[in-house]
Amino acid sequence: MVDLELLIALLTIIGIDILLGGDNAIVVALACRNLPKHQRNKAIILGITLALLMRISLTFIAVQLLEIPYLLALGGALLIYIAYNLLTEHGNDQNIKGETSLFAAIKAILIADLIMGFDNVIAVAGAAHGNMTLVIIGLLVSVPIIIYGSKLILTAFERFPFIIYIGAGILTYTASRMITHEPMLQPLFQSHPFITTLFQVIVIFSVIIIGVWKNKKPNHITI
């Protein structure tokens, strides 16, 4: 019976990581899309490995994080900013050194994962019931999914550039949900579902529309 409970908990954790791993794959793909091809694998592997270690560390303090007011709302606001930056940052300057671009990509992955990982960490901590072994196993299983998922998305970005906007929209949707699920704001959003939906729609379309406008400016035209 105990083994069955552990198995169910492990499968639940893996499921959470897989479901939320899609957003992480999009972040990785967006952050690495302007790197030379020979650096992409390095950025993906290093970025996700460091993010994995960081997320394991965050899980240890998940209970304390839950007690911080407005944590999810602040994280959602920062994620909106990151989605916008990833959408409008073309990186066409050929004078940028490869190492600098690689470092910037890894930094973007870590920052986005830190912000997006709060929901994941809290959900996984609850499913694990304090068993960190289950948390680590679940995260290790999800890593290959995120790595290969990001590579597939990168290929799609090259063939169909408009998908970048879809990816940014998904990230922004995740950010808006973090804000609407903020416990301190629940009285407003739970009592008014229409406001919740309207807020999410406005945030998503605002980021995409501003991104399209910014990318059409002369300084964003590829020569």
Side-chain angles (χ1 to χ4, degrees), residues 49-67:
T49 300
L50 292 175
L52 171 64
L53 296 174
M54 178 177 63
R55 188 169 292 193
I56 291 173
S57 301
L58 281 176
T59 306
F60 281 103
I61 58 173
V63 176
Q64 287 75 18
L65 290 178
L66 282 171
E67 298 177 358

Side-chain angles (χ1 to χ4, degrees), residues 3-39:
D3 291 341
L4 179 60
E5 291 179 358
L6 288 176
L7 178 61
I8 293 174
L10 177 59
L11 292 176
T12 301
I13 292 170
I14 293 174
I16 292 171
D17 287 325
I18 291 175
L19 288 173
L20 298 181
D23 288 338
N24 295 80
I26 292 172
V27 167
V28 173
L30 287 171
C32 298
R33 75 182 192 276
N34 292 321
L35 288 177
K37 289 187 177 181
H38 68 277
Q39 288 188 337

